[in-house]
Amino acid sequence: MIYIDPLMIHPVVDGVWHHARLDGIPDPGEEVTMLCGVTGVAAFLPLSQRRHRTIPRQCERCDAIIRHQRGIPLRQNRIGRN
């Protein structure tokens, strides 16, 4: 048996990966709404059949929302080394 954590699923829409509140793995064809408001229809395809063969970028809006909810500083607010 394989267990998949719905909190760790990052849907990819048009080459951008998002965060979504999922209770489980969506069924193929089920509409999924991301934290940022973008919606998409769930599809599960092998890598060889996906349209985008580049590394997905992160949705900045989803990232900001999830960081705020978890009390994590936004990237631009973190103190870094120069």
Side-chain angles (χ1 to χ4, degrees):
M1 175 151 316
I2 297 173
Y3 294 97
I4 299 173
D5 185 350
L7 295 176
M8 300 309 295
I9 296 172
H10 298 287
V12 177
V13 178
D14 295 328
V16 179
W17 67 267
H18 297 267
H19 288 274
R21 285 189 185 83
L22 300 172
D23 295 327
I25 299 172
D27 292 323
E30 182 179 338
E31 187 171 82
V32 177
T33 302
M34 313 315 152
L35 292 182
C36 66
V38 167
T39 59
V41 176
F44 303 94
L45 300 172
L47 182 59
S48 62
Q49 294 180 13
R50 296 181 199 165
R51 284 186 281 170
H52 299 285
R53 295 181 192 260
T54 60
I55 298 171
R57 337 177 241 109
Q58 180 176 347
C59 172
E60 295 298 326
R61 180 80 176 116
C62 281
D63 182 59
I65 292 168
I66 205 80
R67 285 174 179 275
H68 176 75
Q69 290 176 349
R70 296 178 180 172
I72 301 169
L74 296 175
R75 285 189 215 176
Q76 63 268 24
N77 295 342
R78 291 188 290 182
I79 298 173
R81 296 181 193 171
N82 293 328

